[in-house]
Amino acid sequence: NSNERMIALVNDLLLLNHTEDTTIPYKFEKIDILNLIEQTVFEFSGETSKKEVELILLKPEIQLPPINCDEKMIRVVLQNLIENAIKYSSQKDRVFVSLKQSDANVEISVHDTGIGIDEKDKDQIFLKFFRAPNAIEKDVVGSGLGLFTTKNIVERHGGKIWFEAVIGKGTTFFVTLPIG
């Protein structure tokens, strides 16, 4: 367990360094965001099965236009949000991933029925190294870098990230990314 925690921390620090260094260019290209989300959701099938959490992708009714992004970095955003949703859920809980077009953006949401975020912690959730007390109590591996890194990546893409949460009832993270 200690080795896994150290490896996770080192990986988080390396990724953080990469996302904070504005001299490192992102490789923007047009991608099919639904395809990327489907791939990412599939990557979690082993983890959801082991934890007995149901991961559900709610596909849009209409085809979404491609978005211009760095696919590797947006994959990190999706992985962080889905991993957190699973991590802070309990056995038999559900995690929903959905996307839709909203004006000139694609809006992605990741909703869980897990521990939620306390009102007093909401202003700090995107701060570097912050972990909410209820997240620490759940005793899951975490560095407090995932959401900070995720926010940096989203903002470098010209997007926005925010959330709605109720303690003990769950959390929904929203990400918008510009189309085109």
Side-chain angles (χ1 to χ4, degrees):
N1 282 345
S2 293
N3 285 342
E4 284 179 26
R5 287 180 186 185
M6 289 306 291
I7 289 169
L9 179 60
V10 168
N11 285 336
D12 284 350
L13 289 170
L14 289 170
L15 180 61
L16 173 67
N17 186 51
H18 184 75
T19 60
E20 281 192 314
D21 186 349
T22 55
T23 62
I24 297 173
Y26 278 18
K27 183 183 172 193
F28 284 86
E29 56 191 0
K30 289 195 182 290
I31 67 151
D32 177 349
I33 189 66
L34 176 59
N35 185 45
L36 178 60
I37 291 172
E38 286 175 327
Q39 290 172 19
T40 308
V41 165
F42 179 76
E43 292 170 9
F44 284 95
S45 59
E47 192 173 335
T48 55
S49 178
K50 182 174 77 176
K51 191 158 179 186
E52 295 184 48
V53 171
E54 191 175 1
L55 180 56
I56 301 163
L57 173 59
L58 303 171
K59 295 182 183 182
E61 293 180 10
I62 59 166
Q63 184 172 350
L64 299 176
I67 64 168
N68 193 32
C69 69
D70 182 314
E71 185 172 352
K72 288 180 183 173
M73 290 292 108
I74 295 303
R75 183 182 299 272
V76 169
V77 167
L78 296 168
Q79 288 169 334
N80 280 343
L81 294 176
I82 294 170
E83 181 179 28
N84 279 354
I86 295 167
K87 212 172 14 177
Y88 298 115
S89 292
S90 298
Q91 211 172 13
K92 305 292 184 201
D93 278 353
R94 291 177 163 177
V95 172
F96 298 91
V97 179
S98 64
L99 67 160
K100 66 180 182 180
Q101 185 171 346
S102 177
D103 299 323
N105 298 295
V106 168
E107 183 180 293
I108 302 162
S109 67
V110 178
H111 170 75
D112 67 62
T113 53
I115 63 174
I117 299 169
D118 197 324
E119 193 66 39
K120 67 180 174 44
D121 298 322
K122 288 183 177 182
D123 290 343
Q124 302 173 76
I125 210 72
F126 292 112
L127 296 179
K128 193 186 298 187
F129 299 116
F130 178 76
R131 293 194 68 213
N134 64 335
I136 294 168
E137 286 172 20
K138 187 121 170 100
D139 195 34
V140 293
V141 176
S143 63
L145 293 172
L147 289 174
F148 177 81
T149 302
T150 296
K151 186 174 191 282
N152 280 347
I153 293 169
V154 169
E155 289 177 351
R156 276 194 66 185
H157 280 81
K160 294 181 180 159
I161 183 168
W162 71 97
F163 66 94
E164 297 171 359
V166 177
I167 193 78
K169 300 273 187 196
T171 305
T172 305
F173 277 90
F174 301 92
V175 171
T176 58
L177 297 168
I179 293 171

